[in-house]
Amino acid sequence: NMAVELKADVDMKRMYAAYEKFTDKAPEGTVTSHMDPLKPFFHRIKQEIALVKENEQLDIPRIPLFITVPIDFNAMKITFSILVQYPWLRQIQLYHSKIGDDGAMVIADYLHEYKPPSAKNPFGIEVLELPQCDIGPKGALLLGRMLAQNETIKLLNLDFNPLGDEGAANLGEGLKWNSTLEKLTLKYCNIGALGGECAGKFIVRSSAVRDLSLRGNPLGPTGVAHVGEALAKNAYLIQLDLADTGFGVDLEAIEALRDGIESNDSLEVIDINLNSLVPAGMQLLLELVRAKPKITRFDVYERIGEQAFKDMLDAVAENVKLQKKKKKKG
């Protein structure tokens, strides 16, 4: 029994006891109510303890911290003060939890401090998802500083947070020092042209991110052009999502993006859906895909025109065939 051998049951009992201590001592209607959003997580911990005791759970615990309701600052502080001593956590997923910049500070401090024994958890926290959590530029600054020193997080999701240009810059300042984050998603974060320049400079050019989504941000032609220019100096990015970023009516922006993709040898999947494209720009991108067999997906807006849309689908399908043949030969 791996769970018993590594004393996972002891770790879970210790953590659950700490949770009970906080809730039992609280005056009615105060901390207990603050902790209500955490009840499902600690209930699962309690169930896991029972399963280990009955020898029905042999593997190590893999329970993520997954919350889908708002959490207040007191509950955040209590929860992460308990979790810092729990060595088995690998995923933090707070969806729509509205933790704000103060909550982001609690998480950043926790991740600075969290050092589980490698014999129990050599991975650390690998997934950090905080979509729609009311995190702004200050929170992005704190998370960026944490990421500058972090070596465990592989996926960061900050979708639907009001980061703005300042938040994108703050996050990028930290990410340029990070070599382990693989996937970054910043959908609908109100990042404009200046933020697009920062994303290009710090994330595309300087980080090791392999999958980047800037979908739904008002980058505009200038922001997308900066991202395009940075692609020429990138060697890691495999997937890039620039859907709904409002650049396609500007031929110069399309040319900058085309030039960047043309000079990039790692990109395989590109999404520029929900962007209108001027006909000359669409033709440039179609020629690009035909000349870059490594691109096996290039999503464009269906409303660009029936023939142009079909031509792009055909070009991508041909590339997929070529890659399959290449793999068979290899």
Side-chain angles (χ1 to χ4, degrees):
N1 188 324
M2 186 71 74
V4 173
E5 187 179 328
L6 291 174
K7 298 185 178 179
D9 55 334
V10 175
D11 294 323
M12 288 189 290
K13 285 175 184 176
R14 187 184 296 119
M15 181 175 68
Y16 192 81
Y19 163 71
E20 283 190 315
K21 181 181 174 183
F22 276 107
T23 53
D24 290 346
K25 283 189 175 181
E28 194 163 338
T30 57
V31 176
T32 304
S33 61
H34 293 318
M35 294 296 284
D36 283 350
L38 283 304
K39 279 183 179 178
F41 171 73
F42 285 104
H43 181 65
R44 283 194 65 188
I45 293 291
K46 189 176 182 180
Q47 287 180 319
E48 194 102 343
I49 293 167
L51 290 171
V52 172
K53 185 179 179 181
E54 298 298 324
N55 271 327
E56 293 180 24
Q57 172 65 35
L58 306 179
D59 202 358
I60 57 174
R62 301 181 188 274
I63 302 169
L65 179 64
F66 181 57
I67 312 291
T68 59
V69 293
I71 311 171
D72 72 15
F73 183 59
N74 286 334
M76 287 288 293
K77 285 197 299 182
I78 291 169
T79 301
F80 283 93
S81 70
I82 295 171
L83 286 172
V84 79
Q85 301 300 327
Y86 177 66
W88 300 102
L89 192 63
R90 290 171 61 182
Q91 297 183 42
I92 298 171
Q93 298 163 298
L94 309 183
Y95 282 49
H96 327 295
S97 295
K98 303 190 182 300
I99 61 172
D101 293 336
D102 288 342
M105 175 186 68
V106 172
I107 291 174
D109 288 346
Y110 163 78
L111 288 165
H112 278 302
E113 194 177 345
Y114 188 59
K115 300 285 188 285
S118 58
K120 294 186 176 186
N121 181 1
F123 310 101
I125 302 297
E126 295 182 296
V127 174
L128 179 60
E129 296 193 89
L130 306 170
Q132 204 170 337
C133 277
D134 290 344
I135 296 170
K138 182 184 173 184
L141 178 65
L142 296 166
L143 292 172
R145 287 174 178 170
M146 175 274 297
L147 287 164
Q149 300 175 40
N150 183 275
E151 296 179 348
T152 66
I153 296 173
K154 290 182 169 56
L155 183 153
L156 176 62
N157 176 352
L158 292 174
D159 294 346
F160 298 98
N161 282 293
L163 301 181
D165 291 341
E166 186 182 354
N170 290 344
L171 195 64
E173 281 283 357
L175 275 173
K176 69 182 181 182
W177 303 107
N178 182 291
S179 61
T180 50
L181 186 69
E182 295 177 1
K183 181 173 182 177
L184 175 63
T185 174
L186 301 173
K187 297 174 185 172
Y188 297 93
C189 289
N190 199 31
I191 299 169
L194 184 58
E197 181 179 0
C198 294
K201 183 179 178 182
F202 298 131
I203 300 171
V204 177
R205 186 178 299 179
S206 304
S207 81
V209 169
R210 295 170 177 268
D211 184 344
L212 173 64
S213 178
L214 293 167
R215 173 183 288 254
N217 288 291
L219 302 177
T222 303
V224 169
H226 282 297
V227 171
E229 288 162 11
L231 286 172
K233 298 181 180 179
N234 174 281
Y236 297 99
L237 206 57
I238 295 171
Q239 297 191 46
L240 176 63
D241 182 359
L242 292 172
D244 196 15
T245 50
F247 74 94
V249 296
D250 189 293
L251 186 57
E252 287 185 8
I254 296 175
E255 287 174 341
L257 182 62
R258 186 273 316 269
D259 292 346
I261 296 170
E262 195 171 49
S263 301
N264 181 287
D265 292 324
S266 59
L267 273 170
E268 298 175 11
V269 175
I270 300 153
D271 189 344
I272 59 166
N273 199 355
L274 303 176
N275 288 295
S276 298
L277 297 171
V278 293
M282 179 59 200
Q283 188 59 36
L284 287 177
L285 294 174
L286 183 59
E287 290 169 4
L288 167 70
V289 173
R290 286 170 174 164
K292 297 276 287 188
K294 195 169 185 179
I295 297 174
T296 53
R297 185 175 149 197
F298 198 107
D299 292 350
V300 294
Y301 201 13
E302 191 172 0
R303 293 185 182 179
I304 57 172
E306 187 177 345
Q307 188 58 49
F309 186 73
K310 182 180 181 301
D311 289 344
M312 183 60 81
L313 288 178
D314 291 344
V316 169
E318 187 61 31
N319 284 358
V320 171
K321 282 182 187 176
L322 288 170
Q323 291 303 313
K324 284 181 179 177
K325 286 180 183 177
K326 192 176 178 182
K327 281 181 182 178
K328 283 181 180 179
K329 287 180 180 178

